[in-house]
Amino acid sequence: IIEDDRWEAAGLAALADTACRAALAHLGLDAEACEIALLGCDDTRIVTLNADFRGKPAPTNVLSWPEEDLSPDTPGAAPHPPEAGTPDDPQPLGDIAIAYETCAREAAGQGKPMHDHVTHLIVHGLLHLLGYDHVRDADATVMEGLEAEILGKLGLPDPYRTDQG
């Protein structure tokens, strides 16, 4: 769902498709057997969503709402796998919302192309849908490592390395 037309110009649908397919394939999941809802919105909308769902009335880059809690019980462990879907009956993984202004501001501030940053945030959001998190240090190490591997397969730099470029 595109609520902010700037996402059309940024090619959000194609970026999301590429990012999600790469992440799902990396994790051994069939993209055709999974369903993800994506909202391309602006900061005003994401502030409302962030306040309503997280109690934080501030803009953020990406939010995720998993269909089910797949998070592991042990820090640093792999999350539980989602239920298997099929191309005829895909398994809903959840919803992702991404805010244009925050993404553009972060990309500019970090000296990154917008499409690279958005691809990273879509991968990040999808990993949240699949039970990955970064609150506990051990979980953050796993999640950030996966993000770097997936982005690397797409020819994008590791977003957590500070010694690049």
Side-chain angles (χ1 to χ4, degrees):
I1 300 167
I2 303 292
E3 286 186 352
D4 186 315
D5 291 339
R6 292 174 290 181
W7 282 120
E8 291 286 351
L12 180 61
L15 291 173
D17 187 62
T18 298
C20 289
R21 286 181 183 282
L24 292 168
H26 187 78
L27 296 169
L29 298 170
D30 178 4
E32 300 302 321
C34 299
E35 181 179 271
I36 301 159
L38 175 65
L39 171 65
C41 62
D42 62 14
D43 274 5
T44 301
R45 176 83 151 128
I46 210 128
V47 166
T48 301
L49 294 169
N50 206 15
D52 289 350
F53 292 97
R54 297 177 65 223
K56 297 180 179 185
T60 190
N61 49 25
V62 67
L63 292 171
S64 298
W65 296 271
E67 185 72 18
E68 62 180 309
D69 182 5
L70 300 172
S71 60
D73 299 322
T74 306
H80 305 285
E83 293 291 323
T86 67
D88 292 330
D89 185 21
Q91 174 62 30
L93 298 180
D95 304 336
I96 298 171
I98 187 163
Y100 188 87
E101 294 96 338
T102 297
C103 291
R105 187 171 52 255
E106 289 174 348
Q110 296 169 22
K112 297 177 181 178
M114 176 77 158
H115 57 83
D116 288 5
H117 189 54
V118 170
T119 299
H120 171 220
L121 293 173
I122 296 294
V123 168
H124 183 88
L126 175 56
L127 290 177
H128 276 306
L129 297 183
L130 293 170
Y132 292 91
D133 206 350
H134 46 84
V135 173
R136 302 178 295 194
D137 288 344
D139 294 331
T141 299
V142 170
M143 185 173 181
E144 291 171 7
L146 278 173
E147 289 174 39
E149 290 170 11
I150 294 162
L151 294 172
K153 287 183 176 180
L154 292 171
L156 301 179
D158 180 344
Y160 298 105
R161 282 194 48 199
T162 57
D163 62 346
Q164 299 178 86

